[in-house]
């Protein structure tokens, strides 16, 4: 039995090595000098540790990283608050058109946001928020709130209805139930939603490029794209 496991173990080890090879190449080349990189020997380990590369890159990306944090953080929190409130209304409040609204939220979530890029730019421009962090926050809030509503509604539907009925018998209204009972119970779902939205905003490129110009307001992704080839 143990002999038959060795070929499978070797095969999986080789696959893991191939999967980690791009990560190794990225780290190894980041520690090389320009002369070593010019030799195109990307798989070989560096002769030394050229830590100045990290200092130079951080000096260029410092403002972009700060802008990304100041945009992604508030946008994630606001999208989570608005989306969870809408998700609670869709999942726990019985009204006639709940399924239709839920379907529309699903469509809004999975449609490519490039199709609304021009109207979004026009809205941000009319609000005089172009090339500003509040403008980016508003844009990402518009784009990510439907996703937050959809995901949190899915988590809220797993909470037993008897819990809300028991809370109602004790005089707990819907708003109190939402804040004091439902949110603490579904905190893992809220955390998962927050991580997903924050990651999407942090890695987003097109909106960050279209709504900002210049190094003072750009996020980290456009600045990082500008480093390519330098």
């Amino acid at each position: 039995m143990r002999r038959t496991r060795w070929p499978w173990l070797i095969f999986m080890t080789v696959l893991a090595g191939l999967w980690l090879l791009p990560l190794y190449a990225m780290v190894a080349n980041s520690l090389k000098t320009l002369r070593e990189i010019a030799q195109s020997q990307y798989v070989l380990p560096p002769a030394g540790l050229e830590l100045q590369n990290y200092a130079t890159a951080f000096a260029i990306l410092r403002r972009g990283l700060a802008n990304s944090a100041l945009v992604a953080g508030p946008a994630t929190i606001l999208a989570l608050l608005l989306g969870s409130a809408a998700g609670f209304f869709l999942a726990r409040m019985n009204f006639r058109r709940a399924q239709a609204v839920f379907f529309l939220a699903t469509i809004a979530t999975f449609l490519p946001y490039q199709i609304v890029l021009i109207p979004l730019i026009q809205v941000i421009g009319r609000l005089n928020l172009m090339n500003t962090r509040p403008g980016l926050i508003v844009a990402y809030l518009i784009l990510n709130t439907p996703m937050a509503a959809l995901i949190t509604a899915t988590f809220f539907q797993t909470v037993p209805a008897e819990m809300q009925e028991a809370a109602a018998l004790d005089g707990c209204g819907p708003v109190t139930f939402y804040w004091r009972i439902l949110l603490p119970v579904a905190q893992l779902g809220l955390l998962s939603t927050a991580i997903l939205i924050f990651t999407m905003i942090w890695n987003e490129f097109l909106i960050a490029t279209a709504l900002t110009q210049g190094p003072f307001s750009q996020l980290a992704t456009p600045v990082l794209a500008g480093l390519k080839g330098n």
Side-chain angles (χ1 to χ4, degrees):
M1 184 66 179
R2 293 182 178 179
R3 292 180 179 179
T4 58
R5 291 179 57 185
W6 278 107
W8 177 253
L9 183 61
I10 294 174
F11 176 72
M12 294 303 294
T13 302
V14 172
L15 284 183
L18 292 175
W19 186 76
L20 292 173
L21 182 60
L23 180 63
Y24 159 77
M26 179 183 66
V27 175
N29 286 280
S30 69
L31 297 173
K32 292 180 180 180
T33 62
L34 294 178
R35 177 175 296 181
E36 289 181 279
I37 296 175
Q39 295 174 356
S40 301
Q41 298 176 347
Y42 303 115
V43 182
L44 295 179
L49 298 179
E50 189 67 23
L51 298 178
Q52 184 61 32
N53 295 333
Y54 285 90
T56 304
F58 180 75
I60 299 174
L61 286 169
R62 180 172 53 189
R63 185 178 293 275
L65 292 172
N67 289 334
S68 292
L70 293 174
V71 168
T76 300
I77 295 173
L78 292 175
L80 190 62
L81 288 175
L82 295 177
S84 62
F88 168 69
F89 186 76
L90 292 174
R92 313 299 304 187
M93 306 296 289
N94 295 322
F95 67 103
R96 295 177 56 185
R97 303 187 182 276
Q99 294 297 326
V101 175
F102 196 88
F103 180 71
L104 290 176
T106 304
I107 294 177
T109 299
F110 292 103
L111 279 177
Y113 62 86
Q114 288 85 350
I115 64 176
V116 298
L117 179 62
I118 295 178
L120 183 62
I121 293 175
Q122 292 175 346
V123 170
I124 300 301
R126 291 177 181 176
L127 295 175
N128 294 323
L129 294 177
M130 289 293 294
N131 208 34
T132 62
R133 286 195 291 263
L136 289 170
I137 292 174
V138 172
Y140 288 128
L141 183 62
I142 294 173
L143 294 174
N144 290 282
T145 299
M147 175 180 291
L150 180 65
I151 299 176
T152 54
T154 304
F155 279 102
F156 291 160
Q157 287 176 346
T158 62
V159 178
E162 292 78 6
M163 183 178 296
Q164 186 173 357
E165 295 174 358
L169 292 175
D170 292 335
C172 181
V175 177
T176 306
F177 173 78
Y178 166 74
W179 282 107
R180 296 190 177 183
I181 299 178
L182 188 60
L183 292 185
V185 170
Q187 58 182 346
L188 291 180
L190 296 175
L191 180 61
S192 301
T193 306
I195 293 174
L196 177 62
I197 292 177
F198 183 88
T199 304
M200 292 181 62
I201 295 175
W202 186 277
N203 293 331
E204 202 280 324
F205 176 77
L206 182 60
I207 301 297
T209 304
L211 297 182
T212 58
Q213 295 178 354
F216 294 100
S217 58
Q218 281 188 332
L219 303 188
T221 46
V223 178
L224 184 62
L227 293 178
K228 185 177 180 180
N230 288 348

